[in-house]
């Protein structure tokens, strides 16, 4: 059994919320559930529209696609969304350059299936063991520098180029997606978020909140509050999912 909460907040510095969030614990098409965080970019309205169109297109595809292979369904849904965003940008010059990050997940029993593009993240959290692990890999300039050994991870958190992403829905004709499969145990939490959270709170700060014995709704609101207390420089979106005993 799953419990979940999804919250998006404009933050303290932005005039528009370009994040888009979707969370449904019920069956969606042939997937047992669907959770999505999208963080839009580009122009005054472009980012807001890119994230919304991406999620809406993905959901329409998920509902209509045959088969039960989660990876294939998520991949097809994201590739179709990429085409939609690109076509809409081509049709409207004011939307040129719009795009969005995406992290999507579905949970089938004990199996967590994840797909991501960009720097929105998914973490696995074990409150009892007090462990927090980032599952997704950021598609960003700074993260690539870390992977190549050109930068220490500790230096990345406040790097001026931290916001430059190397992959996004709408950026290229063919979307390059990363996929992950994880085992999800009873009591564990799944945290999905936009970079408005992860740029404001480091892993230690996330753990300080998430290791507490509270329900997901309380924890999610505490995460949003903490990100705003630390500056709230971007829109903040959080999905928290807890697997409970059957």
């Amino acid at each position: 059994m799953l419990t979940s909460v999804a919250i998006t907040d404009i933050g303290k510095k932005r005039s528009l919320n370009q994040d888009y969030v979707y969370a449904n614990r019920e069956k969606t098409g042939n997937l047992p559930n669907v959770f999505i965080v999208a963080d839009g970019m580009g122009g005054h309205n472009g980012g807001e529209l890119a994230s919304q169109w991406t999620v809406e297109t993905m959901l329409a595809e998920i509902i209509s696609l045959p088969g039960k292979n989660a990876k294939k369904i998520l991949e097809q849904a994201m590739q179709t969304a990429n085409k939609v965003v690109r076509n809409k940008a081509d049709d409207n010059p004011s939307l040129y350059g719009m795009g969005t990050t995406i992290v999507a997940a579905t949970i089938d029993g004990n199996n967590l299936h994840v797909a991501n593009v960009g720097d929105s993240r998914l973490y696995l959290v074990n409150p009892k063991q007090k462990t927090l692990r980032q599952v997704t890999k950021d598609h960003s300039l700074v993260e690539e520098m870390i992977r190549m050994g050109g930068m220490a991870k500790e230096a990345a958190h406040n790097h001026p180029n931290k916001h430059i992403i190397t992959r996004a829905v709408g950026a290229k004709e063919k979307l390059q997606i990363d996929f992950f499969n994880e085992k999800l145990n009873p009591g564990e939490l799944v945290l999905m978020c936009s970079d408005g959270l992860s740029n404001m709170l480091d892993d230690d700060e996330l753990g300080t909140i998430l290791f507490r014995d509270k329900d997901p709704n309380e924890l999610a609101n505490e995460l949003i509050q903490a990100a705003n207390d630390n500056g709230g420089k971007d829109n903040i979106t959080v999905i928290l999912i807890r697997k409970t005993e059957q």
Side-chain angles (χ1 to χ4, degrees):
M1 182 177 175
L2 302 175
T3 59
S4 66
V5 60
I7 304 175
T8 186
D9 186 270
I10 196 170
K12 287 190 169 182
K13 303 295 185 181
R14 300 295 176 93
S15 60
L16 189 70
N17 192 343
Q18 296 189 324
D19 287 0
Y20 200 89
V21 62
Y22 180 85
N24 187 356
R25 296 192 300 272
E26 304 302 320
K27 187 177 181 187
T28 306
N30 285 328
L31 295 183
N33 42 66
V34 176
F35 304 93
I36 306 173
V37 172
D39 180 359
M41 60 188 186
H44 182 65
N45 293 317
E48 180 186 29
L49 293 172
S51 59
Q52 178 181 342
W53 286 333
T54 293
V55 175
E56 289 176 349
T57 302
M58 285 183 64
L59 292 174
E61 284 288 285
I62 289 168
I63 289 168
S64 67
L65 286 169
K68 295 187 177 182
N69 185 300
K71 178 181 176 181
K72 288 182 179 179
I73 291 171
L74 291 174
E75 180 170 25
Q76 181 60 53
M78 291 170 78
Q79 294 291 356
T80 301
N82 186 62
K83 292 177 184 176
V84 167
V85 171
R86 288 181 62 81
N87 288 340
K88 287 184 179 290
D90 288 342
D91 292 342
N92 187 341
S94 69
L95 299 178
Y96 177 79
M98 72 173 175
T100 185
T101 69
I102 196 89
V103 59
T106 185
I107 299 167
D108 185 5
N110 294 327
N111 297 309
L112 170 65
H113 305 277
V114 185
N116 90 291
V117 175
D119 60 357
S120 291
R121 294 179 176 179
L122 184 145
Y123 295 83
L124 267 182
V125 184
N126 189 316
K128 287 186 178 179
Q129 297 180 4
K130 298 193 182 318
T131 59
L132 179 145
R133 175 169 60 90
Q134 182 181 340
V135 173
T136 54
K137 296 178 181 178
D138 294 352
H139 303 133
S140 66
L141 186 62
V142 166
E143 187 62 27
E144 288 189 7
M145 292 170 68
I146 293 171
R147 285 198 284 265
M148 291 187 295
M151 180 185 298
K153 187 172 183 179
E154 294 74 20
H157 195 71
N158 296 311
H159 196 278
N161 292 332
K162 186 175 178 64
H163 300 285
I164 299 175
I165 62 173
T166 55
R167 294 188 210 171
V169 175
K172 295 183 179 180
E173 186 173 344
K174 178 71 173 177
L175 187 64
Q176 189 176 354
I177 308 165
D178 282 356
F179 296 96
F180 306 88
N181 293 316
E182 295 283 340
K183 178 100 170 195
L184 185 62
N185 299 306
E188 288 187 322
L189 286 168
V190 176
L191 166 65
M192 300 169 66
C193 64
S194 61
D195 69 345
L197 181 76
S198 56
N199 283 339
M200 292 294 98
L201 302 175
D202 62 24
D203 286 3
D204 288 341
E205 292 170 308
L206 290 173
T208 296
I209 294 171
L210 293 171
F211 297 157
R212 296 171 183 163
D213 185 19
K214 295 185 178 181
D215 70 51
N217 189 64
E218 287 184 273
L219 295 173
N221 279 288
E222 287 187 18
L223 290 172
I224 297 287
Q225 185 62 53
N228 277 321
D229 288 346
N230 281 2
K233 295 180 181 178
D234 200 352
N235 310 141
I236 310 157
T237 297
V238 170
I239 294 176
L240 269 181
I241 310 160
R242 172 175 283 152
K243 182 173 176 59
T244 57
E245 297 286 355
Q246 297 294 334

